[in-house]
Amino acid sequence: MGVASEGMKVKEYIWRGHDPTAVVVMTEVAVFLIQRTKHALIETAIDDKELEKIVKFLKNDPVVDSVYDCKSDVIGLDFFRFKTEIGLLREQLKTMLFLLSLPLNRGMNVKP
């Protein structure tokens, strides 16, 4: 018994046929195809407005000189992966690291 012997189209056979294993096999094939092509089904990069917000946020940092080569991947409905190259201002970074290394009460008349 099969599609030809029943005189049905494949879709009709799956839905009304007498072979339940056909439904299982077709479902497995469908799941496999969805998993293999999900990158084409889901947007691959975040939209330009969101990207601009992230770049603006990074550029507002006083030690950041430039932001370039930004890449993103959407990995779910509310999740994405983001990668970029950041050029740093060496002198500002040195100053910031130096200030962070100082004890909090140095230079202040604060008694422990």
Side-chain angles (χ1 to χ4, degrees):
M1 292 184 62
V3 176
S5 66
E6 294 288 327
M8 299 181 190
K9 293 181 180 179
V10 174
K11 184 178 176 182
E12 291 175 16
Y13 182 76
I14 291 171
W15 289 110
R16 297 188 206 136
H18 302 288
D19 186 6
T21 58
V23 175
V24 173
V25 171
M26 293 302 283
T27 302
E28 287 176 356
V29 170
V31 169
F32 173 77
L33 290 174
I34 289 169
Q35 288 176 342
R36 296 287 287 183
T37 59
K38 67 183 173 186
H39 65 279
L41 301 173
I42 298 176
E43 185 180 346
T44 57
I46 59 175
D47 65 31
D48 292 338
K49 288 181 182 179
E50 292 297 319
L51 182 62
E52 287 175 23
K53 286 180 188 177
I54 295 169
V55 170
K56 184 178 179 181
F57 174 79
L58 292 171
K59 283 184 174 181
N60 282 336
D61 192 296
V63 299
V64 174
D65 180 37
S66 59
V67 177
Y68 54 95
D69 193 24
C70 301
K71 296 177 182 166
S72 66
D73 292 316
V74 175
I75 55 176
L77 293 176
D78 295 326
F79 299 100
F80 63 90
R81 193 174 17 227
F82 179 78
K83 176 234 171 243
T84 191
E85 299 288 328
I86 298 175
L88 300 175
L89 296 169
R90 186 174 291 173
E91 290 305 314
Q92 280 86 341
L93 183 60
K94 283 183 187 177
T95 302
M96 184 175 282
L97 291 173
F98 173 74
L99 291 173
L100 289 172
S101 70
L102 296 176
L104 289 177
N105 63 355
R106 183 178 212 182
M108 299 179 198
N109 291 323
V110 177
K111 296 181 182 178

